[in-house]
Amino acid sequence: MNRPKSTVFVIMPFADEYSASFRDVIQPAVERAGMWCVRADQDPQGDILRMMFERIFDSPVLIADISGANPNVFYELGVSHCVGEKTVTISREDFMDHVPFDLGTYRVLVYPKPPGESDDEERKADYSARVDEAVDKLAEELAKLVQGDSARIPNPVQTFLHSRSPLTCVESRHLEELGGRWEEELLGHTEEELVYVSLAGSHFAGMLSAYADSGRRETPLHVKFLLLDPEDREGWSFVYRLRGGHPVAESEVEKLIAQDRVMQERTEQVIARLERAANISGEVEYYRGVPLFWAYWMDRNRIIVGHLAAGRLSARYLPVSVIVKDDPRTSVLYTYYKSAIDALAERRTYE
């Protein structure tokens, strides 16, 4: 069941000790941000776990109050970290010295502890001012999240997953395969420019067409296809020899080129249709000389590269490398592939 986008699910202990936290800080901040909030104990009776999972998965924003080290809270916080980067973690000031090591390097918003009945008026007035400040900070964080103006809220699980993703890792990586999942997400992760080095390009062109039709792109993206020149007979002869593991008769080369030319034309058709797509543009250029690799060059800061292999030209499901520009260990490799792709782009001979 999908929840309204204005819903904030609150993960917190339900003990009376923390009722003031919900009343004085969380609820006012959520309302100030133009949303409404709900806690698990406010849901109607039913399967508590199922409803809790629904709230965590469906709510666009979550608040987790880790005050008191409640085990249920930490369990639900762990689940929310697996779902994404949409959980704002808060804590009462007197618990900050007990924040677990796992969360110690991540941001936790602090709110004041309510005064006791025996506290003087000055203490109570100070509490009121500090609560207002805490409400302002929390409301600002929530508004940024729901409006999409803020970068994600990092957490340990997502930090680990980013380190393993070929699209977001900060260090170069070697993968057993790239797979369709990453290729589909690649178009969303590329910020401005994507250069694709291929032979015919039809596989990725199909993904690009579906992505353009989805209308999900909110910022401009330019995709350049670098494809093997149909007139480069020597290049294609090499490709067919690699594909079959043996030389191809001259009489067959033209037939095979004609088949691959059909695939290239499909790529050209996709690019032509992009003129009607919002925020996505594209172009096709042809090169001479066969690279022994195919590659995605994302925003000129990472290259995902796979090598053509005997018996199969697509390295898509064979080992690939992700070479990150700012990784000093692989800077020589990045420079090599950058130069190779730039050189191919300059070898434009087919019109």
Side-chain angles (χ1 to χ4, degrees):
M1 179 173 60
N2 291 327
R3 302 289 180 182
K5 288 188 175 182
S6 59
T7 304
V8 177
F9 182 52
V10 180
I11 302 168
M12 66 176 296
F14 303 139
D16 291 342
E17 178 185 358
Y18 299 101
S19 59
S21 306
F22 185 75
R23 181 191 68 239
D24 297 343
V25 179
I26 298 173
Q27 207 164 19
V30 171
E31 292 174 356
R32 191 170 299 180
M35 297 174 279
W36 65 280
C37 59
V38 63
R39 305 191 315 187
D41 62 333
Q42 296 173 330
D43 269 327
Q45 292 184 351
D47 187 331
I48 296 176
L49 278 178
R50 182 186 64 81
M51 288 189 290
M52 178 268 290
F53 285 131
E54 278 188 352
R55 292 292 193 183
I56 290 176
F57 275 80
D58 294 342
S59 297
V61 183
L62 306 169
I63 295 174
D65 187 344
I66 59 175
S67 307
N70 182 285
N72 287 331
V73 168
F74 278 110
Y75 173 75
E76 294 174 31
L77 177 62
V79 174
S80 77
H81 284 176
C82 293
V83 171
E85 296 166 302
K86 59 181 183 178
T87 304
V88 180
T89 305
I90 66 174
S91 173
R92 203 171 69 184
E93 60 187 353
D94 56 318
F95 186 71
M96 285 301 295
D97 290 338
H98 306 286
V99 172
F101 169 81
D102 309 67
L103 301 176
T105 59
Y106 294 86
R107 186 182 183 197
V108 177
L109 297 184
V110 183
Y111 64 87
K113 182 179 180 180
E117 293 182 2
S118 60
D119 287 321
D120 56 29
E121 292 302 317
E122 183 179 352
R123 169 79 174 85
K124 293 178 181 179
D126 180 62
Y127 170 75
S128 178
R130 294 176 64 208
V131 160
D132 286 343
E133 182 180 351
V135 169
D136 285 341
K137 289 182 178 179
L138 181 55
E140 181 180 2
E141 193 84 8
L142 296 173
K144 287 181 179 179
L145 270 176
V146 79
Q147 293 169 8
D149 295 335
S150 172
R152 59 191 180 273
I153 297 182
N155 65 63
V157 176
Q158 295 301 318
T159 297
F160 169 73
L161 293 177
H162 284 311
S163 73
R164 294 179 62 84
S165 165
L167 309 182
T168 57
C169 58
V170 296
E171 296 181 340
S172 297
R173 296 195 62 221
H174 180 74
L175 306 175
E176 288 304 313
E177 64 177 46
L178 183 62
R181 169 196 170 191
W182 294 121
E183 285 189 294
E184 291 171 3
E185 294 186 10
L186 186 146
L187 288 164
H189 279 78
T190 304
E191 294 182 1
E192 297 178 358
E193 178 192 41
L194 180 65
V195 178
Y196 180 41
V197 181
S198 181
L199 297 173
S202 60
H203 172 83
F204 190 62
M207 289 188 178
L208 178 60
S209 177
Y211 182 71
D213 290 342
S214 72
R216 287 179 288 165
R217 188 76 194 186
E218 297 181 354
T219 57
L221 171 68
H222 184 73
V223 183
K224 175 187 282 189
F225 285 79
L226 290 176
L227 309 179
L228 181 57
D229 187 345
E231 303 297 328
D232 187 357
R233 186 183 182 89
E234 182 178 347
W236 283 106
S237 295
F238 175 85
V239 166
Y240 300 137
R241 179 172 182 175
L242 186 64
R243 176 186 292 170
H246 55 76
V248 178
E250 288 294 319
S251 59
E252 292 296 313
V253 171
E254 291 300 329
K255 295 180 182 178
L256 294 171
I257 290 177
Q259 294 172 7
D260 278 296
R261 181 60 190 142
V262 171
M263 306 294 282
Q264 291 180 336
E265 288 173 347
R266 292 178 184 172
T267 300
E268 293 172 353
Q269 291 167 3
V270 168
I271 297 301
R273 289 199 300 270
L274 288 180
E275 295 180 359
R276 302 192 299 270
N279 297 319
I280 301 179
S281 60
E283 62 180 304
V284 177
E285 291 188 2
Y286 291 88
Y287 61 84
R288 280 184 175 271
V290 183
L292 293 179
F293 63 88
W294 61 264
Y296 292 113
W297 193 6
M298 298 175 61
D299 294 315
R300 299 190 174 267
N301 61 33
R302 80 180 53 223
I303 299 172
I304 302 174
V305 59
H307 288 262
L308 305 184
R312 39 186 317 192
L313 294 180
S314 172
R316 195 162 280 109
Y317 297 102
L318 295 175
V320 300
S321 296
V322 182
I323 305 169
V324 181
K325 179 181 180 181
D326 295 330
D327 186 345
R329 302 170 307 162
T330 52
S331 58
V332 173
L333 272 178
Y334 180 87
T335 300
Y336 167 77
Y337 282 109
K338 173 187 180 299
S339 299
I341 295 173
D342 280 338
L344 291 175
E346 293 172 359
R347 299 178 199 164
R348 184 176 183 183
T349 60
Y350 180 80
E351 296 294 343

